[in-house]
Amino acid sequence: MARPALRRVARPDGAVQPRLAHLDRDRSLVEEAQRDPAAFDALYRKYLPQVYSYAVYELGDHHDAEDATERTFLAALGALPAFEERARPEDGHGASTFRVWLFQIARNEVGQRRRARRRLPDTGLELLLAQAADPVDVEGDAVRRDEAASAWQAIARMRGDRRRALILRFVDELSTAEIAGVLGRSEGAVRVLIHRALRDVADDLGPDRR
């Protein structure tokens, strides 16, 4: 069940007393799904695009990403009764420990999919970039797509958590605190990881394309 967090608030008479601070934005959805598994559909619809985008950028293949995404949500549904919220006051407003937990499962499923293939994936960015094409500015869009493809190819050549950190931060827009939870690192380590990963991309692209 959800673990309430305490914070201090001032009363009108100037005294200070603790009050429950509902930090986790998914608390009500998770508790409802724990009572009734059919209610898990709300969490599924909310996080399906993010989990899928993470999987497709990690695996570079739509079919593999769909499989990993499906397995992620099936595993999450099966383990949901044992899920415990770990929200902390320092996580700030809008934090979701369920999302961190879900992406931890997604990371494991992606890793299993990779091991099953026994090879690193070729980058599957062509279709992803084509979906973002602007039919009006064909020439300008081609340049942007070429630049984006070069950047993402550089990311695809990375290994391990540097690549994952960039995908989680700039594709799925997770906070550094959430990424720390997914990767099992400190927030400071995640910031360093992202900084070094961006530097690696810049070095890979060279001075003319940074």
Side-chain angles (χ1 to χ4, degrees):
M1 298 298 293
R3 186 183 68 178
L6 295 175
R7 67 176 178 179
R8 292 188 173 274
V9 294
R11 296 190 313 197
D13 59 6
V16 176
Q17 65 178 9
R19 187 178 72 181
L20 285 178
H22 296 285
L23 299 170
D24 198 306
R25 65 184 178 191
D26 290 318
R27 175 177 293 174
S28 61
L29 293 177
V30 169
E31 290 181 341
E32 185 176 357
Q34 287 176 325
R35 290 190 297 267
D36 178 9
F40 184 76
D41 183 64
L43 290 165
Y44 173 80
R45 286 184 283 106
K46 181 176 183 178
Y47 286 114
L48 175 62
Q50 290 185 34
V51 172
Y52 173 76
S53 67
Y54 167 73
V56 78
Y57 274 93
E58 272 280 82
L59 294 168
D61 180 89
H62 284 283
H63 296 296
D64 285 348
E66 288 173 352
D67 181 70
T69 300
E70 179 182 3
R71 291 175 181 274
T72 294
F73 282 101
L74 286 174
L77 178 59
L80 191 64
F83 169 75
E84 293 186 2
E85 179 190 314
R86 298 296 180 185
R88 306 166 303 168
E90 56 266 32
D91 292 332
H93 177 72
S96 171
T97 53
F98 172 81
R99 181 163 75 161
V100 172
W101 179 73
L102 183 66
F103 271 91
Q104 289 173 339
I105 296 174
R107 179 189 175 193
N108 290 336
E109 292 295 339
V110 165
Q112 290 178 13
R113 190 68 184 176
R114 278 191 160 162
R115 288 190 290 274
R117 296 195 307 191
R118 297 293 182 183
R119 63 180 177 85
L120 287 173
D122 295 325
T123 179
L125 298 173
E126 290 79 6
L127 182 56
L128 295 173
L129 293 168
Q131 292 173 345
D134 182 352
V136 177
D137 184 10
V138 176
E139 182 177 356
D141 185 69
V143 173
R144 287 190 295 273
R145 287 176 58 198
D146 180 61
E147 292 172 346
S150 297
W152 280 110
Q153 286 164 1
I155 293 172
R157 287 190 287 271
M158 290 181 181
R159 298 293 181 266
D161 283 350
R162 289 193 184 187
R163 182 188 64 252
R164 295 185 190 102
L166 287 187
I167 293 171
L168 291 170
R169 184 69 188 94
F170 296 109
V171 176
D172 293 301
E173 298 182 345
L174 270 66
S175 67
T176 54
E178 290 174 319
I179 297 171
V182 173
L183 300 183
R185 293 170 175 257
S186 68
E187 286 190 60
V190 167
R191 293 190 185 95
V192 171
L193 200 65
I194 292 174
H195 173 75
R196 290 177 177 173
L198 290 173
R199 186 180 61 191
D200 288 346
V201 172
D203 290 342
D204 193 299
L205 293 176
D208 294 336
R209 307 197 68 177
R210 291 178 185 177

